[in-house]
């Protein structure tokens, strides 16, 4: 064995601590690494163990296999440190402490054979109690006893070779496996039965997996660079949570550095710099510098210190994902890359293209990684400072893209060029008019308004008595005690989410879908838009019959309430916009005929009821309106309410706006829009332009934006109104902070 020792006590980013060369290939063989030891096959049938904490200690060489070792795994428990190795002839369990003691005495270390002739084993996994070992051999999984040579269970059902299997910590009898047949299976290995079988997930085989015991989720890594996350909760039926394209997220991270000099300062690979710059400039790319694929070779969680470093809201879940060219640090809460390490960027490494790897996070900021070369017999142990790496790259991002520093609450006065200035000009004109003496002109008395006549045309009075109006109504003491002000109370934060239906209401005599639903600001009314073109208005306790608003010629697709909850705005697929008074079933304002070329969506009152916002296609409109509900029987055909367009704003490259949101309960200049191009764009209507564009906010187009729209002066946390949530089908929720957008 030829071995080189590298004494790098504290490298700036990355260094090689130990390396050796095997006489036989070690690529695509399972190797293992913990914070104390790393283990790998050497010279075919020998097992080599390095002490990570003491690089000067001689390696431990264990002999017992007669055929080449194909899989090695270490236990993650210190007492005792166990290592299990497998070859086509044996599966052997070794106690590292006992092996060291035997070597000190001059004896040959002896392992404990737990299986004979298992076949070609490609993956080994310890049970958390260290009493069982799962061995993946061919199309089956063997559950072996770690105390004696005994096969406790044999799980067969995959149509291709099984690549990995892991036990579920929270339920002793469950095991999950992935296979070349591109599926994963959940087993009850106590009963040797299949619990769940997934559909074919990809055109490429599933290579690696990781189980998040805290969230009870399965993360699978594919040969085409796709991470897929599935819920293992009992009532979730193993449904898909999200899918991450590693190549795409890696490129998205690199595109945050516009200049090569800034990339070099951040510790990113030179090859990545050239590819990103050439892509942005439109030049031909050097295909030798691009990854034709991104096979996932390893998945493991990161240590807590990295989570604390980037944590804004709790502790994000960070995973190290390894490929043949480097590592990605993935934030599983937002499916984005937090840091990149490319082997090609460091000349002091002996391995640039990796065949297999194993990673261990130490108690401090250092991360140790055992690598084997793809096309040679080289084996290396590298060490890098993950915190330094991540800080340098995040500082580079902050230098290239400073924080926009937006705020939902208006802090600057209105500019003269702002379209919101229209409200101020209208008020000033009305004040000027009020100072002018109003002179009445002679007008026909009869035709001015409805007047009282002599009584000949009036219906005779039929009232025979006058009811008593001075009777005091009694109020139940319980109601006064529970809600003395009559205002809906906030939902208690410490209470669990409601999960039991309180009341079920039928909205129509025949099956009719509810297309949209919206509570009023005071929580006393609930509006429901239906596919049958009507709107139902319920009281919040569903008492009494709902009011019915009819008049649209298409499915109602959007509803919005005024600040005082007295007005309801609706839009439909007929490209019409209508405003209703909660006291009257007739619309007070009807507009949109011929005004919008595409269906109107997301109608809402804005700027404390001074304007209306809505979207149509890829643009949203700012409208000024006036409502007049005074009725004139002689001129009831003439609509006194009016509405006119102030300005429209176009989303960049989007085909259609899929979500629109703005605050109405206090003065705010910002409007948030998400589009079919998966982009979030923020418009400042005081500056009269777009101020931020965040691309690829979700793998699919976001369909909803949820803001904290309560009063800015009554929120429990003073900065809570700067938070908002976006959601997309199949990708869950993402929480954003307006102050940290770039």
């Amino acid at each position: 064995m030829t071995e080189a020792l590298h004494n790098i006590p504290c490298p700036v980013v990355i260094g090689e601590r130990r390396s050796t060369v095997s006489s036989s290939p070690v690529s695509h063989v399972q190797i293992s690494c913990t914070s104390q030891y790393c283990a790998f096959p050497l010279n075919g049938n020998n097992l080599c163990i390095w002490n990570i904490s003491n690089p000067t200690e001689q390696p431990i060489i264990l002999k017992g296999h007669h055929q080449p070792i194909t899989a090695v795994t270490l236990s993650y428990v210190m007492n005792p440190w166990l290592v299990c190795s497998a070859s086509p002839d044996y599966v052997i369990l070794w106690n590292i402490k006992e092996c060291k003691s035997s070597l000190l005495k001059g004896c040959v270390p002896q392992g404990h054979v737990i299986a004979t002739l298992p076949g070609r084993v490609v993956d080994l996994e310890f049970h958390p109690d260290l009493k069982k070992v799962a061995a993946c051999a061919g199309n089956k999984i063997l559950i072996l006893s770690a105390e004696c040579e005994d096969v406790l269970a044999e799980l067969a059902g995959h149509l291709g070779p099984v690549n990995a299997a892991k036990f579920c910590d929270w339920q002793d009898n469950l095991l999950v496996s992935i296979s070349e047949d591109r599926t994963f299976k959940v087993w009850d290995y106590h009963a040797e039965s299949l619990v769940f079988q997934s559909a074919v997930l990809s055109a490429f085989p599933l290579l690696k997996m990781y189980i998040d015991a805290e969230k009870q989720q399965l993360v699978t890594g594919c040969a085409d660079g796709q991470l897929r996350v599935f819920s293992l909760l009992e009532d979730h039926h193993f449904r898909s949570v999200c899918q991450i394209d590693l190549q795409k997220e890696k490129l998205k991270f690199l595109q945050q550095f516009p200049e090569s000099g800034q990339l070099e300062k951040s510790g990113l690979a030179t090859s990545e710099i050239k590819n990103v710059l050439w892509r942005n400039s439109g030049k031909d790319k050097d295909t030798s510098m691009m990854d034709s694929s991104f096979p996932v070779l390893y998945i493991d969680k990161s240590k807590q210190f990295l989570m604390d470093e980037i944590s804004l809201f709790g502790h994000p879940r960070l995973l190290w994902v390894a490929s043949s060219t480097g590592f990605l640090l993935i934030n599983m809460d937002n499916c984005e890359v937090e840091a990149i390490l490319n082997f090609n960027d460091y000349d002091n490494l002996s391995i640039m293209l990796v065949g297999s790897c194993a990673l261990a996070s130490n108690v401090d900021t250092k991360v140790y990684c055992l690598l084997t070369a793809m096309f040679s017999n080289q084996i290396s142990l590298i060490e890098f400072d993950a915190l330094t790496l991540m800080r340098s790259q995040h500082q580079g991002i902050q230098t290239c893209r400073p924080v926009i520093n937006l705020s939902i609450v208006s802090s600057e006065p209105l500019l003269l060029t702002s379209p919101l200035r229209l409200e101020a000009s209208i008020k000033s004109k009305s004040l000027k008019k009020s100072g002018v003496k109003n002179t009445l002109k002679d007008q026909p008395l009869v035709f001015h308004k409805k007047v009282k006549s002599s009584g000949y045309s009036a219906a005779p009075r039929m009232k025979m008595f006058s009811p008593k109006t001075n009777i005091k109504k009694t109020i139940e003491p319980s109601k006064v005690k529970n809600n003395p002000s009559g205002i809906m109370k906030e939902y208690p934060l410490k209470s669990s989410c409601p999960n039991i239906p309180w009341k079920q209401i039928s909205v129509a005599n025949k099956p009719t879908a509810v297309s949209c639903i919206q509570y009023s600001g005071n929580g006393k009314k609930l509006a429901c838009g239906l596919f049958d073109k009507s709107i139902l208005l319920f009281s919040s306790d569903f008492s009494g019959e709902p009011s019915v608003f009819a008049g649209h010629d298409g499915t109602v697709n959007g509803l919005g309430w005024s600040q005082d909850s007295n007005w309801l705005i609706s839009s439909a697929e007929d490209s019409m916009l209508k405003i209703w008074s909660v006291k009257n079933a007739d619309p007070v304002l009807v507009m949109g005929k011929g005004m919008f070329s595409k269906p109107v969506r997301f109608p809402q009152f804005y700027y404390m009821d001074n304007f209306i916002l809505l979207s149509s296609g890829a643009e949203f409109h700012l409208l000024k309106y006036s409502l007049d509900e005074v009725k004139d029987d002689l001129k009831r055909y003439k609509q006194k309410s009016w509405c006119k367009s102030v300005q429209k704003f176009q989303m960049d490259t989007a085909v259609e706006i899929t979500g629109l949101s703005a605050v109405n309960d206090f003065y705010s200049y910002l409007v948030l829009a998400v589009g079919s191009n998966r982009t979030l764009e923020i418009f400042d209507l005081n500056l009269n332009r777009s101020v931020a564009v965040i691309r690829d906010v979700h793998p699919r187009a976001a369909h909803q934006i949820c803001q904290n729209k309560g009063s800015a002066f009554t929120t429990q946390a003073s900065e809570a109104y700067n938070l908002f949530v976006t959601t997309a089908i199949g990708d869950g929720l993402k929480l954003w902070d307006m102050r940290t957008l770039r």
Side-chain angles (χ1 to χ4, degrees), residues 176-194:
V176 183
S177 61
I178 59 174
S179 168
E180 295 273 352
D181 63 10
R182 301 160 291 164
T183 68
F184 75 87
K185 296 181 187 292
V186 182
W187 307 85
D188 182 347
Y189 64 88
H190 286 177
E192 298 188 48
S193 61
L194 182 65

PDB file of all heavy atoms in Angstrom, residues 176-194:
ATOM      1  N   VAL A 176     -37.271   0.890   4.104  1.00  0.00           N
ATOM      2  CA  VAL A 176     -37.524   1.458   2.779  1.00  0.00           C
ATOM      3  C   VAL A 176     -36.368   1.077   1.870  1.00  0.00           C
ATOM      4  O   VAL A 176     -35.198   1.135   2.278  1.00  0.00           O
ATOM      5  CB  VAL A 176     -37.675   2.985   2.839  1.00  0.00           C
ATOM      6  CG1 VAL A 176     -38.022   3.546   1.464  1.00  0.00           C
ATOM      7  CG2 VAL A 176     -38.740   3.379   3.850  1.00  0.00           C
ATOM      8  N   SER A 177     -36.670   0.697   0.631  1.00  0.00           N
ATOM      9  CA  SER A 177     -35.629   0.304  -0.324  1.00  0.00           C
ATOM     10  C   SER A 177     -35.860   0.993  -1.663  1.00  0.00           C
ATOM     11  O   SER A 177     -36.988   1.330  -2.023  1.00  0.00           O
ATOM     12  CB  SER A 177     -35.632  -1.220  -0.518  1.00  0.00           C
ATOM     13  OG  SER A 177     -36.872  -1.660  -1.043  1.00  0.00           O
ATOM     14  N   ILE A 178     -34.753   1.215  -2.400  1.00  0.00           N
ATOM     15  CA  ILE A 178     -34.815   1.765  -3.751  1.00  0.00           C
ATOM     16  C   ILE A 178     -34.077   0.814  -4.686  1.00  0.00           C
ATOM     17  O   ILE A 178     -33.208   0.053  -4.264  1.00  0.00           O
ATOM     18  CB  ILE A 178     -34.194   3.175  -3.831  1.00  0.00           C
ATOM     19  CG1 ILE A 178     -32.735   3.148  -3.396  1.00  0.00           C
ATOM     20  CG2 ILE A 178     -34.997   4.156  -3.012  1.00  0.00           C
ATOM     21  CD1 ILE A 178     -32.015   4.465  -3.592  1.00  0.00           C
ATOM     22  N   SER A 179     -34.417   0.875  -5.978  1.00  0.00           N
ATOM     23  CA  SER A 179     -33.911  -0.152  -6.886  1.00  0.00           C
ATOM     24  C   SER A 179     -33.642   0.412  -8.273  1.00  0.00           C
ATOM     25  O   SER A 179     -34.055   1.532  -8.616  1.00  0.00           O
ATOM     26  CB  SER A 179     -34.933  -1.297  -6.979  1.00  0.00           C
ATOM     27  OG  SER A 179     -34.629  -2.181  -8.024  1.00  0.00           O
ATOM     28  N   GLU A 180     -32.938  -0.403  -9.049  1.00  0.00           N
ATOM     29  CA  GLU A 180     -32.715  -0.087 -10.459  1.00  0.00           C
ATOM     30  C   GLU A 180     -34.023  -0.096 -11.249  1.00  0.00           C
ATOM     31  O   GLU A 180     -34.080   0.428 -12.366  1.00  0.00           O
ATOM     32  CB  GLU A 180     -31.751  -1.113 -11.078  1.00  0.00           C
ATOM     33  CG  GLU A 180     -30.348  -1.097 -10.511  1.00  0.00           C
ATOM     34  CD  GLU A 180     -29.450  -0.103 -11.201  1.00  0.00           C
ATOM     35  OE1 GLU A 180     -29.884   0.468 -12.219  1.00  0.00           O
ATOM     36  OE2 GLU A 180     -28.326   0.119 -10.728  1.00  0.00           O
ATOM     37  N   ASP A 181     -35.061  -0.696 -10.688  1.00  0.00           N
ATOM     38  CA  ASP A 181     -36.352  -0.701 -11.388  1.00  0.00           C
ATOM     39  C   ASP A 181     -37.080   0.636 -11.276  1.00  0.00           C
ATOM     40  O   ASP A 181     -38.220   0.768 -11.695  1.00  0.00           O
ATOM     41  CB  ASP A 181     -37.244  -1.837 -10.884  1.00  0.00           C
ATOM     42  CG  ASP A 181     -37.612  -1.712  -9.410  1.00  0.00           C
ATOM     43  OD1 ASP A 181     -37.338  -0.641  -8.819  1.00  0.00           O
ATOM     44  OD2 ASP A 181     -38.145  -2.671  -8.834  1.00  0.00           O
ATOM     45  N   ARG A 182     -36.419   1.660 -10.651  1.00  0.00           N
ATOM     46  CA  ARG A 182     -36.880   3.042 -10.591  1.00  0.00           C
ATOM     47  C   ARG A 182     -38.083   3.239  -9.675  1.00  0.00           C
ATOM     48  O   ARG A 182     -38.874   4.152  -9.832  1.00  0.00           O
ATOM     49  CB  ARG A 182     -37.200   3.577 -11.994  1.00  0.00           C
ATOM     50  CG  ARG A 182     -36.030   3.533 -12.948  1.00  0.00           C
ATOM     51  CD  ARG A 182     -36.471   3.603 -14.386  1.00  0.00           C
ATOM     52  NE  ARG A 182     -37.170   2.379 -14.775  1.00  0.00           N
ATOM     53  CZ  ARG A 182     -37.918   2.265 -15.858  1.00  0.00           C
ATOM     54  NH1 ARG A 182     -38.079   3.301 -16.665  1.00  0.00           N
ATOM     55  NH2 ARG A 182     -38.510   1.125 -16.145  1.00  0.00           N
ATOM     56  N   THR A 183     -38.215   2.360  -8.691  1.00  0.00           N
ATOM     57  CA  THR A 183     -39.284   2.477  -7.704  1.00  0.00           C
ATOM     58  C   THR A 183     -38.691   2.396  -6.309  1.00  0.00           C
ATOM     59  O   THR A 183     -37.550   1.967  -6.118  1.00  0.00           O
ATOM     60  CB  THR A 183     -40.326   1.356  -7.859  1.00  0.00           C
ATOM     61  OG1 THR A 183     -39.722   0.093  -7.508  1.00  0.00           O
ATOM     62  CG2 THR A 183     -40.863   1.289  -9.271  1.00  0.00           C
ATOM     63  N   PHE A 184     -39.483   2.819  -5.324  1.00  0.00           N
ATOM     64  CA  PHE A 184     -39.126   2.540  -3.931  1.00  0.00           C
ATOM     65  C   PHE A 184     -40.257   1.727  -3.301  1.00  0.00           C
ATOM     66  O   PHE A 184     -41.424   1.834  -3.700  1.00  0.00           O
ATOM     67  CB  PHE A 184     -38.852   3.830  -3.148  1.00  0.00           C
ATOM     68  CG  PHE A 184     -40.077   4.631  -2.774  1.00  0.00           C
ATOM     69  CD1 PHE A 184     -40.786   4.379  -1.604  1.00  0.00           C
ATOM     70  CD2 PHE A 184     -40.514   5.673  -3.586  1.00  0.00           C
ATOM     71  CE1 PHE A 184     -41.901   5.120  -1.261  1.00  0.00           C
ATOM     72  CE2 PHE A 184     -41.626   6.427  -3.256  1.00  0.00           C
ATOM     73  CZ  PHE A 184     -42.325   6.148  -2.082  1.00  0.00           C
ATOM     74  N   LYS A 185     -39.889   0.936  -2.319  1.00  0.00           N
ATOM     75  CA  LYS A 185     -40.855   0.084  -1.631  1.00  0.00           C
ATOM     76  C   LYS A 185     -40.699   0.266  -0.133  1.00  0.00           C
ATOM     77  O   LYS A 185     -39.595   0.499   0.376  1.00  0.00           O
ATOM     78  CB  LYS A 185     -40.659  -1.395  -1.995  1.00  0.00           C
ATOM     79  CG  LYS A 185     -40.900  -1.725  -3.468  1.00  0.00           C
ATOM     80  CD  LYS A 185     -40.705  -3.212  -3.722  1.00  0.00           C
ATOM     81  CE  LYS A 185     -40.779  -3.534  -5.216  1.00  0.00           C
ATOM     82  NZ  LYS A 185     -42.126  -3.328  -5.756  1.00  0.00           N
ATOM     83  N   VAL A 186     -41.812   0.177   0.579  1.00  0.00           N
ATOM     84  CA  VAL A 186     -41.831   0.219   2.036  1.00  0.00           C
ATOM     85  C   VAL A 186     -42.237  -1.165   2.520  1.00  0.00           C
ATOM     86  O   VAL A 186     -43.265  -1.711   2.090  1.00  0.00           O
ATOM     87  CB  VAL A 186     -42.805   1.293   2.555  1.00  0.00           C
ATOM     88  CG1 VAL A 186     -42.769   1.355   4.074  1.00  0.00           C
ATOM     89  CG2 VAL A 186     -42.468   2.661   1.963  1.00  0.00           C
ATOM     90  N   TRP A 187     -41.407  -1.731   3.428  1.00  0.00           N
ATOM     91  CA  TRP A 187     -41.599  -3.112   3.875  1.00  0.00           C
ATOM     92  C   TRP A 187     -41.885  -3.166   5.377  1.00  0.00           C
ATOM     93  O   TRP A 187     -41.358  -2.356   6.135  1.00  0.00           O
ATOM     94  CB  TRP A 187     -40.358  -3.958   3.599  1.00  0.00           C
ATOM     95  CG  TRP A 187     -39.838  -3.931   2.201  1.00  0.00           C
ATOM     96  CD1 TRP A 187     -38.996  -3.009   1.659  1.00  0.00           C
ATOM     97  CD2 TRP A 187     -40.111  -4.884   1.170  1.00  0.00           C
ATOM     98  NE1 TRP A 187     -38.718  -3.309   0.348  1.00  0.00           N
ATOM     99  CE2 TRP A 187     -39.388  -4.467   0.017  1.00  0.00           C
ATOM    100  CE3 TRP A 187     -40.874  -6.043   1.088  1.00  0.00           C
ATOM    101  CZ2 TRP A 187     -39.421  -5.173  -1.180  1.00  0.00           C
ATOM    102  CZ3 TRP A 187     -40.907  -6.740  -0.101  1.00  0.00           C
ATOM    103  CH2 TRP A 187     -40.200  -6.312  -1.218  1.00  0.00           C
ATOM    104  N   ASP A 188     -42.692  -4.132   5.762  1.00  0.00           N
ATOM    105  CA  ASP A 188     -42.782  -4.565   7.155  1.00  0.00           C
ATOM    106  C   ASP A 188     -41.934  -5.830   7.253  1.00  0.00           C
ATOM    107  O   ASP A 188     -42.384  -6.926   6.921  1.00  0.00           O
ATOM    108  CB  ASP A 188     -44.239  -4.860   7.535  1.00  0.00           C
ATOM    109  CG  ASP A 188     -44.402  -5.281   8.990  1.00  0.00           C
ATOM    110  OD1 ASP A 188     -43.376  -5.579   9.640  1.00  0.00           O
ATOM    111  OD2 ASP A 188     -45.544  -5.326   9.478  1.00  0.00           O
ATOM    112  N   TYR A 189     -40.661  -5.644   7.674  1.00  0.00           N
ATOM    113  CA  TYR A 189     -39.751  -6.791   7.623  1.00  0.00           C
ATOM    114  C   TYR A 189     -40.026  -7.786   8.743  1.00  0.00           C
ATOM    115  O   TYR A 189     -39.546  -8.924   8.688  1.00  0.00           O
ATOM    116  CB  TYR A 189     -38.288  -6.327   7.642  1.00  0.00           C
ATOM    117  CG  TYR A 189     -37.847  -5.609   8.894  1.00  0.00           C
ATOM    118  CD1 TYR A 189     -37.350  -6.304   9.991  1.00  0.00           C
ATOM    119  CD2 TYR A 189     -37.895  -4.230   8.969  1.00  0.00           C
ATOM    120  CE1 TYR A 189     -36.929  -5.637  11.121  1.00  0.00           C
ATOM    121  CE2 TYR A 189     -37.473  -3.561  10.092  1.00  0.00           C
ATOM    122  CZ  TYR A 189     -36.992  -4.262  11.177  1.00  0.00           C
ATOM    123  OH  TYR A 189     -36.576  -3.602  12.305  1.00  0.00           O
ATOM    124  N   HIS A 190     -40.792  -7.386   9.764  1.00  0.00           N
ATOM    125  CA  HIS A 190     -41.195  -8.366  10.786  1.00  0.00           C
ATOM    126  C   HIS A 190     -42.130  -9.408  10.181  1.00  0.00           C
ATOM    127  O   HIS A 190     -41.986 -10.613  10.440  1.00  0.00           O
ATOM    128  CB  HIS A 190     -41.883  -7.660  11.955  1.00  0.00           C
ATOM    129  CG  HIS A 190     -40.936  -6.913  12.840  1.00  0.00           C
ATOM    130  ND1 HIS A 190     -41.346  -6.157  13.919  1.00  0.00           N
ATOM    131  CD2 HIS A 190     -39.588  -6.796  12.813  1.00  0.00           C
ATOM    132  CE1 HIS A 190     -40.300  -5.612  14.511  1.00  0.00           C
ATOM    133  NE2 HIS A 190     -39.223  -5.982  13.851  1.00  0.00           N
ATOM    134  N   ALA A 191     -43.063  -8.929   9.368  1.00  0.00           N
ATOM    135  CA  ALA A 191     -44.015  -9.843   8.723  1.00  0.00           C
ATOM    136  C   ALA A 191     -43.552 -10.258   7.335  1.00  0.00           C
ATOM    137  O   ALA A 191     -44.244 -11.042   6.673  1.00  0.00           O
ATOM    138  CB  ALA A 191     -45.388  -9.179   8.636  1.00  0.00           C
ATOM    139  N   GLU A 192     -42.398  -9.728   6.881  1.00  0.00           N
ATOM    140  CA  GLU A 192     -41.871 -10.005   5.539  1.00  0.00           C
ATOM    141  C   GLU A 192     -42.922  -9.709   4.464  1.00  0.00           C
ATOM    142  O   GLU A 192     -43.134 -10.486   3.530  1.00  0.00           O
ATOM    143  CB  GLU A 192     -41.379 -11.450   5.420  1.00  0.00           C
ATOM    144  CG  GLU A 192     -40.243 -11.802   6.359  1.00  0.00           C
ATOM    145  CD  GLU A 192     -39.654 -13.171   6.081  1.00  0.00           C
ATOM    146  OE1 GLU A 192     -39.367 -13.459   4.903  1.00  0.00           O
ATOM    147  OE2 GLU A 192     -39.497 -13.948   7.041  1.00  0.00           O
ATOM    148  N   SER A 193     -43.588  -8.568   4.623  1.00  0.00           N
ATOM    149  CA  SER A 193     -44.659  -8.191   3.696  1.00  0.00           C
ATOM    150  C   SER A 193     -44.406  -6.790   3.145  1.00  0.00           C
ATOM    151  O   SER A 193     -43.709  -5.968   3.760  1.00  0.00           O
ATOM    152  CB  SER A 193     -46.022  -8.232   4.396  1.00  0.00           C
ATOM    153  OG  SER A 193     -46.059  -7.321   5.471  1.00  0.00           O
ATOM    154  N   LEU A 194     -44.993  -6.525   1.997  1.00  0.00           N
ATOM    155  CA  LEU A 194     -44.866  -5.235   1.343  1.00  0.00           C
ATOM    156  C   LEU A 194     -45.979  -4.306   1.825  1.00  0.00           C
ATOM    157  O   LEU A 194     -47.157  -4.658   1.777  1.00  0.00           O
ATOM    158  CB  LEU A 194     -44.948  -5.407  -0.175  1.00  0.00           C
ATOM    159  CG  LEU A 194     -44.777  -4.150  -1.038  1.00  0.00           C
ATOM    160  CD1 LEU A 194     -43.377  -3.578  -0.881  1.00  0.00           C
ATOM    161  CD2 LEU A 194     -45.070  -4.475  -2.499  1.00  0.00           C
TER     162      LEU A 194
END
